[in-house]
Amino acid sequence: MAEKQEEPSNTQNGEPDNAEEGEEKKKKKLKREDLPPFEIVTGERLPAIFFKFQFRNVEYSSGRNKTFLCYVVETQGKESVTSRGYLEDEHAAAHAEMAFFNTILPKCESSLRYNVTWYVSSSPCVTCADRITETLKKNKNLRLTIMVGRLFMWEEAEMQAALKKMKSAGCKLRIMKPQDFEYVWQNFVEQEEGEEAKAFVPWEDIQENFQYYEEKLAEIL
């Protein structure tokens, strides 16, 4: 497993790295409680700098306190329709997994079948895992596969129990392989206009970290 990562600077997260900006950030942080409970950013493609930082499958995820959720929804009825996009937590009170079921797929029509795939920067928290379990139990026509870059708080017994419940409800939980990161890069990350699409460049230890998390997930499930 890779050595402990140094805490990333703001520059790595696409933000200026200076004291003044840091003070502004602190002030903004204090105002978070004034925000509505769900402040979610949605779109078709996320900035490359966010992908490179937030989706990186390191063991020590300092500074990676947002959830980025890329989704593909295949709706099968008389005709098949596919939609895709991404959700991003805007602040600590919002959960992208919850927002998906509240805004992207608030209702499953009983006459249709839904095959949903998520590519998420990290696995869901206990509350979101419970919501996923309830939704799958309630909607037998919904199939959900979740591909995650990292496991969130996987050492906690409560978290392990929540992941097991998700599996029992029919959720397929997988760790993202290098090929999955490449798929997200090609399909969900902004490419510079007027330029040829840049190839995905795997980071150091991407394969080793995938194997580490895959082993941990197998032990839990």
Side-chain angles (χ1 to χ4, degrees):
M1 192 61 213
E3 289 178 8
K4 184 164 182 174
Q5 304 283 325
E6 286 183 11
E7 185 148 335
S9 70
N10 292 335
T11 310
Q12 285 177 280
N13 206 2
E15 295 163 0
D17 194 8
N18 59 54
E20 259 180 64
E21 288 292 329
E23 283 304 311
E24 280 301 307
K25 225 172 163 190
K26 280 178 193 170
K27 286 177 193 170
K28 283 178 186 172
K29 217 170 187 179
L30 292 172
K31 293 179 184 173
R32 279 182 169 177
E33 58 270 21
D34 300 331
L35 293 168
F38 283 98
E39 184 79 19
I40 292 291
V41 175
T42 61
E44 291 182 10
R45 288 181 177 263
L46 62 141
I49 196 163
F50 289 156
F51 168 80
K52 289 174 184 177
F53 180 74
Q54 298 286 354
F55 270 88
R56 193 159 181 159
N57 61 349
V58 291
E59 182 182 358
Y60 302 98
S61 53
S62 298
R64 294 171 173 86
N65 53 4
K66 283 188 169 194
T67 302
F68 282 77
L69 187 158
C70 302
Y71 63 85
V72 180
V73 179
E74 295 174 19
T75 307
Q76 298 172 345
K78 287 181 181 177
E79 293 181 8
S80 292
V81 179
T82 301
S83 61
R84 65 177 65 225
Y86 87 95
L87 297 168
E88 167 195 340
D89 288 357
E90 180 63 13
H91 59 84
H95 295 258
E97 297 94 337
M98 294 275 201
F100 177 86
F101 289 120
N102 291 341
T103 60
I104 306 300
L105 197 64
K107 188 179 177 186
C108 290
E109 299 289 344
S110 58
S111 59
L112 301 173
R113 287 176 60 84
Y114 302 87
N115 290 322
V116 177
T117 305
W118 291 352
Y119 297 87
V120 197
S121 51
S122 67
S123 58
C125 67
V126 171
T127 303
C128 287
D130 288 345
R131 170 71 186 274
I132 290 165
T133 299
E134 288 166 20
T135 303
L136 288 172
K137 283 181 176 176
K138 197 167 70 176
N139 300 285
K140 299 298 183 186
N141 55 333
L142 171 63
R143 298 282 177 272
L144 177 62
T145 301
I146 305 179
M147 314 290 294
V148 301
R150 303 183 302 278
L151 289 176
F152 175 69
M153 296 181 69
W154 58 267
E155 307 98 327
E156 303 287 335
E158 191 184 12
M159 188 72 257
Q160 293 181 8
L163 294 179
K164 285 175 183 172
K165 280 190 218 165
M166 274 173 48
K167 184 188 176 185
S168 297
C171 179
K172 293 180 182 174
L173 187 63
R174 304 280 186 270
I175 304 298
M176 287 174 67
K177 300 176 181 177
Q179 302 95 300
D180 297 314
F181 289 106
E182 184 173 10
Y183 174 83
V184 172
W185 173 262
Q186 291 173 347
N187 291 278
F188 293 100
V189 176
E190 286 176 357
Q191 302 291 336
E192 293 294 328
E193 282 186 32
E195 288 186 14
E196 278 188 45
K198 291 177 182 171
F200 172 67
V201 180
W203 46 86
E204 189 182 354
D205 299 329
I206 188 173
Q207 177 67 24
E208 188 182 343
N209 292 350
F210 153 67
Q211 289 169 338
Y212 171 83
Y213 278 123
E214 191 178 46
E215 285 171 17
K216 296 301 175 191
L217 182 61
E219 287 169 16
I220 293 166
L221 299 181

